[in-house]
Amino acid sequence: MKLYSTNNPASAVSFKDAVFNSMPQDKGLYMPVQINCLPNSFFEQLPKLTLPQIAFEVAHHLLGDAIPENDLRNLINDAVNFDAPVVKLQEDVYVLELFHGPSLAFKDFGARFMSRVMSYFLEEGEKQLDVLVATSGDTGGAVALGFLGVPNTRVTILYPKGKVSDIQELQLTTNGQNIRALQIDGTFDDCQALVKQAFVDDELNEAFRLTSANSINIARLIPQTFYYFNAYAQLLREGKSNVAFCVPSGNFGNIGAGLLAWKMGLPVAKFIAATNANDTVPAYFKTGMYEPKPSVQTIANAMDVGNPSNWARIADMFKEDAEALKQLVESHSYTDEQTHQAIKDVYNSYDYVVCPHTAIAWRALTDWQQNHPGITGVFLSTAHPCKFPDVFSEPIASKVDVPEQVRALASREKHAVSLNKDFASFKNYLLSNG
Ligand SMILES: *Cc1c(COP(=O)(O)O)cnc(C)c1O
């Protein structure tokens, strides 16, 4: 497998280099040089395959000989060890539950796969990999749990003090082993600025082998294609083959993976990108102008992104045929008030509780289905509702079940080092805790 930068189609790097660099020097994003359709035999077999089997076939097809077959199979069986069931709510409305991994959010797919790929490529005797990650909540948990116990790696998480939910904080701070948490007296942007500055600091780069775990890494995108194929396999078993996916979108990695699956031959009638008030992409579909803006805060805060970093990948996939993009994809934005209402509507209609991000996707899907009868709709549930307890009021709040793994966190000891937001303190911490 070779990858190019979206800013330089003539470039070509190996999968290993793309994973460790995360982002090309030219600030583009890595994309596979070849995205071929999977063979017919794969689609014929599809209804019979399990999620790990599908994941292996798709990854092997895309990665080619970048990782030998047996190693890849072991890696995938280790990374993809939880379910992604499609649950029927009513005729032609299904929810794809992506929150059955360790951090209870779909980011587990990307983080677990990436951590294992990085560890696989670290050769004997190589310097320990130091992963720095800034988080506003969900990413940190997935990355921490993804790398927990992975040999020859260490993760340093920076999170804004007092600005993540209790459960998120427990997921960040109770791991021990090769994971350490820093609570920064500042905002998420301050945390991100510290990480960025560390990457360009000579002394730190001399002392450590630094890498990032953010969502632009190609090794986080690839595993997210797996659950689209697996959802389709489940629908085929129910006799459904005309399918639309609705994806709650922030940085547009999740829907980008769906489009990558489509490029590999997954037959999808429509992708709907549902956003909160951060409507850069919906506005683009309306006006034809792509204009990033500062993010605004909403109750679906994992989607508070004004300049979606993965949009460059989507634009690149359709660079030769912008019309095809408009045919295949729609995008709609919803307010916090509509999100609260959607949470209530889903609860009243199906006795089912969704997180605010998922609620927006349900609303966008069912709005779309009004004018598109006969197409089976799947909306992606990106996180377990228990991660966002402040959003719900009674009676829904008491209906949110808290999984055992989360209840168990409460009795664990929290470890976070407090730092203020200046770079000198952060750098000093890293150097004196090498
Ligand atoms: C990260 C996240 C999203 C947004 O996904 P993107 O891939 O950035 O579009 C949506 N919902 C939840 C719960 C998330 O954590």
Side-chain angles (χ1 to χ4, degrees), residues 105-107 138-139 215 224 247-255 302-303 305 310 355 357-358 382-383 388:
F106 80 98
K107 291 186 172 75
D138 273 352
T139 301
S215 75
Q224 294 182 49
V247 188
S249 297
N251 254 326
F252 281 67
N254 200 354
I255 196 167
M303 306 186 339
V305 181
N310 278 293
C355 89
H357 315 80
T358 306
T382 45
F388 306 93

Side-chain angles (χ1 to χ4, degrees), residues 2 13-14 46 59 62 70 104 106 109 117-118 121 139 182 199 203 227 272 334 338 344 352 365 381 407 409 417 426:
K2 289 273 182 243
V13 304
S14 68
L46 194 54
L62 205 53
N70 268 336
L104 308 177
F106 80 98
F109 282 90
V117 167
M118 284 183 169
F121 281 135
T139 301
L182 307 178
F199 284 121
E203 213 179 328
Y227 50 71
I272 304 152
Y334 292 90
Q338 290 171 314
K344 285 186 198 142
Y352 184 84
L365 175 68
S381 181
R407 274 182 271 137
L409 286 177
V417 173
F426 176 50

